Amino acid sequence: DDGGKDATFAQKTLSAYAFDTEWVRWSAELNADSVLNMENFLGRLLGERMARIANAKLTAGSGSSDVEGIVTNSAAGKTAASATAIASNELIDLLHSVDPAYRQGNTFFIINDSTLAAVRKLKDGDGNYLWQMGNYQAGVPQNLLGYDVVINQDMDSIATAKKTILFGDMSYFYVRKVGQPAIYVARERFAPDFGILGYIRFDGCLSNTAAVKHLVQA
């Protein structure tokens, strides 16, 4: 016993918000004449659609009667001096705004592709690029300041007051997925045509706001 106080906990409710793709219909003629298996083809497309809505909500959900996205829950780590650019020193400040204890786990940057294009042009004081391409054939991933980078197109692009970069230990972000994503096929409701619908339920929350921080533009 080190004489420290007991740990204290707050409560957080993970809900299960439901999303569906709406019915997508196709004709009996297309079903019979297409070289494709329309049910499998549309099922794959609706699966992608559900994955995109899940990523969008878990990234930037409002948290007000909606999915709580990781960007919404993250703490402020660094405010850029510009609304239209990011400086190399600001990335270093963002990294060091996260406690070292949270820089050793499942830790990486999250950024969209257009912002990454800007970041890849940044150099340190010696003229070296901060971005390192890596070598996947040799098992060396791309990295920024020694950390892996995940491209997420649902992150905001560089603009006034936008939260453009996340950094931290993402294992503190919990996702509740209720059951498996479902695909429903109607063979009688739209007869003689067919219908298909995708359905998913999920929520997310960041359990420790000290573990993940964001850079926000001026």
Side-chain angles (χ1 to χ4, degrees), residues 20-63:
D20 68 72
T21 63
E22 301 185 354
W23 285 104
V24 175
R25 295 174 58 178
W26 74 99
S27 69
E29 292 82 3
L30 178 61
N31 193 68
D33 297 340
S34 175
V35 69
L36 299 173
N37 181 316
M38 292 304 299
E39 184 177 319
N40 290 345
F41 178 69
L42 290 171
R44 186 171 70 249
L45 292 180
L46 294 191
E48 181 178 319
R49 182 178 293 182
M50 288 190 289
R52 288 184 182 277
I53 187 63
N55 189 74
K57 291 293 184 179
L58 291 170
T59 300
S62 67

Side-chain angles (χ1 to χ4, degrees), residues 129-209:
Y129 285 104
L130 299 184
W131 170 264
Q132 299 296 315
M133 285 297 295
N135 185 333
Y136 281 103
Q137 290 181 332
V140 180
Q142 59 193 10
N143 74 83
L144 179 63
L145 299 175
Y147 291 90
D148 198 6
V149 177
V150 171
I151 298 174
N152 182 343
Q153 289 300 84
D154 289 305
M155 290 291 294
D156 282 328
S157 297
I158 297 173
T160 302
K162 295 297 185 180
K163 299 172 183 177
T164 52
I165 302 177
L166 287 181
F167 175 76
D169 187 342
M170 305 304 166
S171 66
Y172 286 92
F173 184 67
Y174 289 90
V175 175
R176 181 191 182 206
K177 183 176 67 174
V178 181
Q180 297 295 322
I183 298 289
Y184 298 98
V185 179
R187 296 180 174 84
E188 296 180 355
R189 177 178 179 179
F190 304 111
D193 298 336
F194 301 85
I196 189 169
L197 173 144
Y199 178 79
I200 190 172
R201 293 175 68 206
F202 61 89
D203 194 10
C205 75
L206 183 60
S207 64
N208 186 346
T209 56

Side-chain angles (χ1 to χ4, degrees), residues 101-122:
Y102 305 124
R103 302 205 303 260
Q104 303 176 45
N106 188 26
T107 305
F108 48 86
F109 289 93
I110 300 180
I111 189 170
N112 79 15
D113 198 54
S114 64
T115 305
L116 179 58
V119 168
R120 288 183 61 180
K121 300 170 186 175
L122 297 177

